[in-house]
Amino acid sequence: MTNHVPVIAIDGPSASGKGTVAERVAAALGFHYLDSGALYRLATLNALRRQVPLDDAVPLAGATRELEISFRDGKLWLDGEDVTEAVRTEAVSAATSRVAASPQVREALLERQRLFLRPPGLVADGRDMGSVVFPHAALKVFLTADVGTRAERRHKQLMEKGMCAKMADVVEELRQRDARDSARPVAPLRHYPDALFLDTTALTIDQAVGQVLAWYRERTGN
Ligand code: C5P
């Protein structure tokens, strides 16, 4: 039984910094960490490589169920190959939000995500961690920042990786992805009332991490 294992669910839009915050919160508490976006990215890269049409739900969900993936040494592996960089390209990011709109794909990934729930606890980040995957989470956070700040953060990341990108294109890509993630009928990106709102526009990573930990301690007394 894993019902008693605590979960912190951190949801929010692209490039909000939720992944970095979630990972640091997990490290501070000694909890496991689930980057659910990585699962959707791996499912998408797998479909692209196998030439499964992205709008054909049945074969897409079938390929997703059979994914051969692992998270090891801080890297992502697909069919034994290190695809950590390959899943982060802008092309895969854009295709992922199309794939993630499929209810069948979401269903195919549901149990895989729940398998990350192991003692002593889990910090999970994504779009529907608090609403669908871990509805009983001890703490739910909706973490965001204004679109200009998010675009700057993403742009900086891309430049650091040696990938050139125009700021205007980065803003446009974020807007389109967030619009698609928010408009889909199944598990849309949304600030639900049971999630605490954390705007990181004017916060450092340390401040955002500190806030999540403070909320968790208030909730649980740990
Ligand atoms: O979090 P990240 O930007 O890596 O997620 C990539 C895409 O995966 C998102 O744009 C979204 O379409 C999808 N996703 C999702 N549900 C999640 C996590 C990610 O639909 N829980």
Side-chain angles (χ1 to χ4, degrees):
M1 282 293 285
T2 46
N3 276 348
H4 60 285
V5 180
V7 178
I8 299 178
I10 304 184
D11 290 304
S14 315
S16 54
K18 61 188 186 316
T20 309
V21 172
E23 227 176 333
R24 298 244 192 128
V25 169
L29 294 169
F31 282 11
H32 299 282
Y33 167 56
L34 166 63
D35 169 5
S36 64
L39 288 176
Y40 285 93
R41 287 170 183 275
L42 287 162
T44 304
L45 184 65
N46 179 60
L48 290 169
R49 288 188 168 180
R50 288 169 200 260
Q51 299 184 338
V52 178
L54 299 190
D55 48 7
D56 200 346
V58 173
L60 194 57
T64 301
R65 238 173 259 113
E66 284 161 21
L67 274 178
E68 287 287 341
I69 56 174
S70 64
F71 293 71
R72 250 186 305 121
D73 313 324
K75 295 190 164 152
L76 301 176
W77 304 82
L78 173 64
D79 296 323
E81 182 192 334
D82 176 2
V83 293
T84 315
E85 294 290 321
V87 296
R88 300 263 156 219
T89 63
E90 293 302 284
V92 172
S93 301
T96 301
S97 72
R98 285 173 57 202
V99 167
S102 156
Q104 289 90 339
V105 168
R106 305 197 73 83
E107 179 62 34
L109 287 176
L110 194 56
E111 280 314 309
R112 264 189 212 257
Q113 294 175 82
R114 291 185 174 148
L115 288 175
F116 282 77
L117 181 53
R118 278 175 285 128
L122 177 71
V123 183
D125 88 66
R127 306 294 184 289
D128 62 343
M129 296 298 96
S131 56
V132 176
V133 182
F134 302 109
H136 303 298
L139 172 66
K140 301 181 186 182
V141 177
F142 186 82
L143 191 151
T144 189
D146 69 37
V147 72
T149 305
R150 293 190 285 117
E152 270 168 29
R153 290 175 185 168
R154 171 57 48 85
H155 189 253
K156 189 163 163 255
Q157 266 174 5
L158 292 171
M159 299 309 255
E160 280 167 4
K161 283 191 208 153
M163 294 151 102
C164 356
K166 281 201 224 118
M167 191 62 180
D169 294 344
V170 175
V171 173
E172 188 49 31
E173 194 271 332
L174 283 182
R175 279 193 201 282
Q176 281 183 13
R177 194 139 69 91
D178 291 342
R180 247 195 316 262
D181 289 345
S182 306
R184 68 184 177 218
V186 178
L189 168 67
R190 195 164 291 166
H191 176 208
Y192 291 93
D194 59 349
L196 298 177
F197 187 79
L198 183 57
D199 183 344
T200 66
T201 306
L203 298 185
T204 63
I205 294 169
D206 283 346
Q207 287 171 324
V209 170
Q211 180 61 78
V212 175
L213 288 171
W215 279 334
Y216 182 68
R217 290 187 176 121
E218 264 169 38
R219 284 276 163 104
T220 62
N222 288 321

